[in-house]
């Protein structure tokens, strides 16, 4: 992608503060108070998880690559910033977002195939034909003001993998975290490079079976960021004690090597002059999301969505 993020419509029109995003959503709900009261929905994070799962299921049937799935998820978020969810059939919006994203990411899917697979996947929730999908596509493009180019964090991760000496396991974990961030509000709050740098940090410090669990991981990530913020420019951390260690266990050596890598990363952040406060916020949001994911109930979320879809006749043409 040749376009510059700093001059893009994504930065100028689709990056908000938390307060701005909350106000937009509050205004939407106030404009549809009767619908909101009649059809309560799960918390937004749980909705995002469900939408992500449905998008993934459709994408798998169509053989869509991850870049297009990420773009489709971003389109969903933008669309539902301007349109109240209960006014739409989310299954139609999901299918449309993926169809449009595949066009933009230069891996187009035939509209007949998308319609066919969506019908098969959601037979009880969506009556779909080509004209209906086409109409929803124009509606979505209009709501996004034809601002369809999406900059993703994947490029930053790829370009920094060798510079930061990330192992393949660490790079894969960072990639997984980037994929997960599309189930949060972060794509609407921070630039892609901040997301990628946060994912790398978490890949370096996250240890699922570590004593203390999430709290320990959160503390380790925050400590690394605070070190970067407090460190004087040009100062580098040094720790070569492993070369002089005698009788140290393999586990201790691995722990020390990991600590050295985190310290080097903190030095890199200091020299690059990135938004550390933004990374702290991203870290907290992602850790909070993973905790929230543990309480997710697919059955309840699906039932609440299907209830308003059927009650309002949105499953019919």
């Amino acid at each position: 992608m040749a376009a510059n993020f700093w001059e893009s419509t994504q930065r100028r029109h689709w990056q908000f503060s938390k307060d701005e995003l909350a106000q937009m959503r509050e205004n939407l709900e106030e404009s549809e108070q009767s619908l909101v009261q009649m059809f309560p929905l799960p918390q937004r994070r749980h909705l995002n998880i469900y939408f992500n799962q449905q998008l993934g299921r459709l994408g798998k049937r169509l053989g869509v690559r991850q870049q297009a799935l990420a773009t489709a998820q971003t389109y969903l978020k933008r669309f539902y910033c301007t349109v109240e969810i209960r006014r739409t059939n989310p299954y139609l919006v999901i299918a449309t977002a993926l169809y449009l994203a595949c066009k933009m990411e230069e891996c187009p899917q035939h509209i007949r195939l998308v319609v066919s697979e969506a019908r098969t996947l959601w037979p009880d929730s969506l009556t779909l034909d080509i004209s209906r999908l086409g109409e929803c596509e124009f509606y979505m493009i209009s709501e996004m003001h034809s601002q369809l180019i999406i900059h993703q964090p994947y490029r930053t991760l790829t370009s920094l993998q060798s510079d930061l000496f990330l192992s393949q396991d660490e790079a894969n974990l960072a990639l997984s975290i980037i994929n997960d961030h599309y189930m949060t509000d972060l794509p609407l709050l921070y630039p892609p490079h901040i997301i990628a740098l946060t994912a790398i940090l978490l890949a370096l410090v996250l240890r699922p079976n570590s004593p203390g669990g999430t709290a320990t991981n959160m503390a380790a990530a925050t400590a690394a960021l605070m070190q970067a913020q407090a460190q004087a420019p040009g100062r580098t951390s040094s720790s070569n004690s492993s070369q002089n260690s005698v009788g140290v266990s393999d586990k201790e050596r691995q722990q020390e090597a990991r600590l050295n890598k985190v310290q080097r990363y903190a030095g890199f952040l200091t020299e690059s002059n990135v938004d550390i406060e933004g990374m702290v916020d991203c870290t907290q949001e992602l850790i909070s999301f993973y905790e929230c994911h543990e309480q997710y109930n697919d059955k309840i979320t699906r039932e609440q969505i299907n209830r308003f879809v059927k009650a309002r006749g949105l499953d019919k043409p």
Side-chain angles (χ1 to χ4, degrees), residues 2 17 27 32 58 76 105 109 116 123 144 149 162 207 218:
S17 68
N27 291 342
E32 302 286 350
L58 182 58
L76 280 175
E105 295 297 340
Q109 298 286 332
S116 174
M144 292 191 292
I149 295 177
S162 59
R207 291 297 180 270
M218 181 65 187

Side-chain angles (χ1 to χ4, degrees), residues 240-309:
N240 297 317
S241 58
S242 59
Q243 296 177 358
N244 303 320
S245 299
V246 179
V248 179
S249 69
D250 288 342
K251 184 175 181 180
E252 288 172 327
R253 286 194 183 94
Q254 291 174 0
Q255 176 68 14
E256 189 168 10
R258 186 168 71 86
L259 179 60
N260 290 341
K261 186 175 288 190
V262 172
Q263 290 175 335
R264 284 198 301 270
Y265 185 59
F268 164 80
L269 293 178
T270 301
E271 294 173 0
S272 59
N273 197 31
V274 300
D275 179 9
I276 299 296
E277 290 184 5
M279 288 185 64
V280 171
D281 192 41
C282 287
T283 299
Q284 293 172 338
E285 178 65 26
L286 283 164
I287 295 294
S288 177
F289 166 74
Y290 289 130
E291 291 177 337
C292 176
H293 201 302
E294 296 175 2
Q295 281 78 50
Y296 171 70
N297 186 305
D298 184 79
K299 183 173 182 290
I300 292 175
T301 304
R302 182 176 62 254
E303 287 176 349
Q304 288 184 294
I305 291 173
N306 290 347
R307 178 170 171 260
F308 80 77
V309 167

Side-chain angles (χ1 to χ4, degrees), residues 147-294:
Q147 296 159 353
L148 304 177
I149 295 177
I150 305 295
H151 294 257
Q152 312 283 12
Y154 301 113
R155 175 179 289 185
T156 301
L157 173 61
T158 302
S159 65
L160 290 179
Q161 181 176 352
S162 59
D163 294 343
L164 297 175
F165 305 102
L166 299 180
S167 68
Q168 193 56 51
D169 285 345
E170 289 164 346
N172 289 341
L173 180 53
L175 181 64
S176 177
I177 292 169
I178 288 175
N179 292 341
D180 290 344
H181 101 281
Y182 287 102
M183 289 181 278
T184 73
D185 287 335
L186 292 178
L188 299 174
L189 299 174
Y190 291 102
H193 74 279
I194 294 295
I195 305 299
L197 290 171
T198 303
I200 292 171
L201 172 66
L202 291 177
L204 293 175
V205 303
L206 281 179
R207 291 297 180 270
N209 298 321
S210 62
T214 299
T216 299
N217 292 325
M218 181 65 187
T222 304
L225 291 171
M226 292 303 99
Q227 176 187 345
Q229 197 168 35
Q231 204 171 40
R235 177 185 170 190
T236 57
S237 52
S238 60
S239 179
N240 297 317
S241 58
S242 59
Q243 296 177 358
N244 303 320
S245 299
V246 179
V248 179
S249 69
D250 288 342
K251 184 175 181 180
E252 288 172 327
R253 286 194 183 94
Q254 291 174 0
Q255 176 68 14
E256 189 168 10
R258 186 168 71 86
L259 179 60
N260 290 341
K261 186 175 288 190
V262 172
Q263 290 175 335
R264 284 198 301 270
Y265 185 59
F268 164 80
L269 293 178
T270 301
E271 294 173 0
S272 59
N273 197 31
V274 300
D275 179 9
I276 299 296
E277 290 184 5
M279 288 185 64
V280 171
D281 192 41
C282 287
T283 299
Q284 293 172 338
E285 178 65 26
L286 283 164
I287 295 294
S288 177
F289 166 74
Y290 289 130
E291 291 177 337
C292 176
H293 201 302
E294 296 175 2

Side-chain angles (χ1 to χ4, degrees), residues 32-149:
E32 302 286 350
Q33 278 191 348
S34 59
L35 281 178
V36 171
Q37 293 172 0
M38 192 178 302
F39 301 109
L41 290 178
Q43 62 168 287
R44 190 167 295 272
R45 282 173 176 165
H46 288 179
L47 282 176
N48 288 339
I49 293 170
Y50 183 76
F51 291 163
N52 175 68
Q53 289 178 348
Q54 301 309 307
L55 189 59
R57 291 174 65 199
L58 182 58
K60 185 176 182 180
R61 297 178 72 98
L62 294 168
V64 174
R65 57 192 177 95
Q66 178 58 38
Q67 181 91 4
L69 287 172
T71 295
Q73 286 177 286
T74 307
Y75 287 170
L76 280 175
K77 292 185 182 300
R78 290 185 177 185
F79 183 75
Y80 282 133
C81 279
T82 61
V83 178
E84 165 56 40
I85 291 175
R86 298 164 183 85
R87 287 182 53 204
T88 71
N89 183 325
Y91 302 101
L92 172 60
V93 176
I94 288 169
T96 304
L98 186 58
Y99 174 65
L100 181 57
C102 287
K103 283 185 179 180
M104 292 303 300
E105 295 297 340
E106 300 181 350
C107 54
Q109 298 286 332
H110 198 287
I111 191 170
R112 292 184 184 277
L113 181 59
V114 176
V115 168
S116 174
E117 293 296 345
R119 280 176 180 166
T120 303
L121 193 57
W122 306 302
D124 299 326
S125 304
L126 181 62
T127 302
L128 187 60
D129 56 28
I130 292 174
S131 62
R132 193 177 182 197
L133 184 63
E135 182 181 348
C136 188
E137 180 189 11
F138 282 111
Y139 183 25
M140 181 171 286
I141 292 172
S142 174
E143 290 297 327
M144 292 191 292
H145 310 293
S146 300
Q147 296 159 353
L148 304 177
I149 295 177

